[in-house]
């Protein structure tokens, strides 16, 4: 019997399982940028991003961060707790890049101390606008305590992943996280962590090994992701 598709996003599909509180998430080879304006498909991208997600989520679970992942099924799919995604894109920035430089004129690579945590509304039809905390309250997305918890989790995640990447000679410039609410109202880390959702620069040169390669037409996306995987010692086959 074919699994029922619950949701299809730009880079993943979510399927029903025989358990009401579990889903299967399958990683696609599709890549998009600028809210879907640019769209392509790259062989192996799904399995490469799943390998990064597996590695980072394992590191986070070992550090005590609660996540949606239950188990890894095969090269492109995983089993996860079914959650209601909190419609926030939580962006953490260690160095200025991307939209922050465009919006505020910051110099690319400027260190951000203290680390900057921003919230964007997860709504493609509105082009994911940036939100302040009052907007989050008016939109009834999350309580003040939940927002504080999400920010604290996002910053703990930063420590875990930044220090791992530092040890491999890579700078974690910024990244986007999504959180979900379980049926018993617990907020846990969801979605993925991969070069699609983070900016990674080679230390010293600021060379991008992430989706900026595709956004800015700087080379072959999957080759850059595989190069990063090799630097980190991840198995991809
Ligand atoms: P930005 O500089 O374009 O706002 O992106 C900040 C970080 O968030 C960067 O690591 C890329 C990631 N990101 C996503 O994962 N999805 C998105 O839709 C956007 C706009 C950014
Ligand atoms: N994720 C967004 C898109 O799919 C934007 C981006 O990552 O640049 O278009």
């Amino acid at each position: 019997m074919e699994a029922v598709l619950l949701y299809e996003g730009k880079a993943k599909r979510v399927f029903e399982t025989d358990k009401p509180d579990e889903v299967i998430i399958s990683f696609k080879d599709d890549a998009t940028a600028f809210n879907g304006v640019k769209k392509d498909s790259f062989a192996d991208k799904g399995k490469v991003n799943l390998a990064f997600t597996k590695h980072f989520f394992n590191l986070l679970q070992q550090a005590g961060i609660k996540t949606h992942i239950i188990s890894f099924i095969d090269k492109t799919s995983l089993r996860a707790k079914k959650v209601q995604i909190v419609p926030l894109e939580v962006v953490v920035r260690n160095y200025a890049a991307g939209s922050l430089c465009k919006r505020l004129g910051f110099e690319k690579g400027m260190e951000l101390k203290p680390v900057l945590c921003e919230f964007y509304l997860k709504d493609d039809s509105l082009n994911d606008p940036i939100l302040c905390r009052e907007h989050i309250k008016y939109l009834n997305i999350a309580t003040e305590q939940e927002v504080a918890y999400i920010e604290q989790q996002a910053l703990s995640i930063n420590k875990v992943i930044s220090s791992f990447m530092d040890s491999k000679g890579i700078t974690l410039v910024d990244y986007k996280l999504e959180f979900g609410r379980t049926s018993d109202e617990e907020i846990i880390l969801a979605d993925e962590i991969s070069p699609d959702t983070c900016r990674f620069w080679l230390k010293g040169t600021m060379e991008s090994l992430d989706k900026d390669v595709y956004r800015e037409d700087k080379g072959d996306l999957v080759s850059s992701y595989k190069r990063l995987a090799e630097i980190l010692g991840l198995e991809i086959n």
Side-chain angles (χ1 to χ4, degrees):
M1 205 181 69
E2 212 155 279
V4 175
L5 180 67
L6 291 174
Y7 170 80
E8 177 153 10
K10 292 193 281 277
K12 293 185 289 297
R13 291 188 186 93
V14 180
F15 295 96
E16 207 175 72
T17 68
D18 49 2
K19 297 192 178 142
D21 54 351
E22 294 185 9
V23 291
I24 288 175
I25 302 177
S26 159
F27 284 52
K28 305 197 288 187
D29 282 341
D30 295 347
T32 63
F34 315 116
N35 198 12
V37 169
K38 194 170 172 181
K39 188 173 189 324
D40 287 282
S41 186
F42 297 99
D44 285 354
K45 179 178 162 283
K47 79 171 185 187
V48 173
N49 274 352
L50 183 115
F52 281 108
T53 295
K54 182 175 181 176
H55 186 76
F56 292 134
F57 274 70
N58 281 342
L59 280 182
L60 293 173
Q61 275 175 337
Q62 282 160 24
I65 306 280
K66 286 194 177 167
T67 85
H68 68 148
I69 291 177
I70 297 170
S71 61
F72 293 90
I73 301 168
D74 57 29
K75 283 176 188 156
T76 54
S77 55
L78 57 86
R79 183 175 283 269
K81 287 185 189 164
K82 188 175 189 174
V83 293
Q84 255 336 93
I85 290 289
V86 177
L88 291 176
E89 303 216 336
V90 182
V91 171
V92 177
R93 300 179 189 269
N94 293 304
Y95 295 88
S99 70
L100 183 68
C101 296
K102 278 205 198 99
R103 199 177 331 112
L104 299 180
F106 286 10
E107 192 187 336
K108 182 177 167 185
M110 185 181 93
E111 189 172 8
L112 299 165
K113 259 192 176 167
V115 172
L116 188 59
C117 182
E118 302 171 330
F119 299 96
Y120 294 79
L121 180 65
K122 187 174 159 61
D123 185 336
D124 284 346
S125 69
L126 294 174
N127 223 350
D128 298 346
I130 192 163
L131 299 172
C132 66
R133 298 192 182 230
E134 286 75 14
H135 294 146
I136 300 175
K137 218 190 292 175
Y138 272 112
L139 290 165
N140 241 326
I141 291 174
T143 66
E144 263 173 71
Q145 289 92 323
E146 285 174 333
V147 173
Y149 177 74
I150 288 172
E151 178 168 9
Q152 176 241 310
Q153 289 293 98
L155 297 176
S156 301
I157 291 165
N158 194 38
K159 289 198 182 116
V160 175
I161 300 187
S162 285
S163 62
F164 170 74
M165 297 309 284
D166 269 341
S167 75
K168 303 287 180 184
I170 303 286
T171 301
L172 174 61
V173 177
D174 57 28
Y175 55 93
K176 183 267 300 180
L177 303 172
E178 292 183 25
F179 291 82
R181 218 179 248 114
T182 63
S183 53
D184 41 14
E185 297 290 312
E186 191 181 16
I187 293 204
I188 57 176
L189 179 67
D191 196 46
E192 67 175 289
I193 301 180
S194 73
D196 267 15
T197 61
C198 304
R199 283 195 176 92
F200 296 118
W201 292 345
L202 264 182
K203 280 194 189 295
T205 66
M206 286 167 65
E207 184 186 349
S208 298
L209 294 174
D210 57 60
K211 200 159 89 172
D212 274 350
V213 169
Y214 173 66
R215 293 189 189 98
E216 298 171 13
D217 292 314
K218 291 194 283 200
D220 179 65
L221 176 92
V222 173
S223 306
S224 296
Y225 287 18
K226 286 185 174 171
R227 188 165 148 224
L228 179 66
E230 200 176 304
I231 294 170
L232 304 187
L234 305 193
E235 260 310 293
I236 293 163
N237 37 48

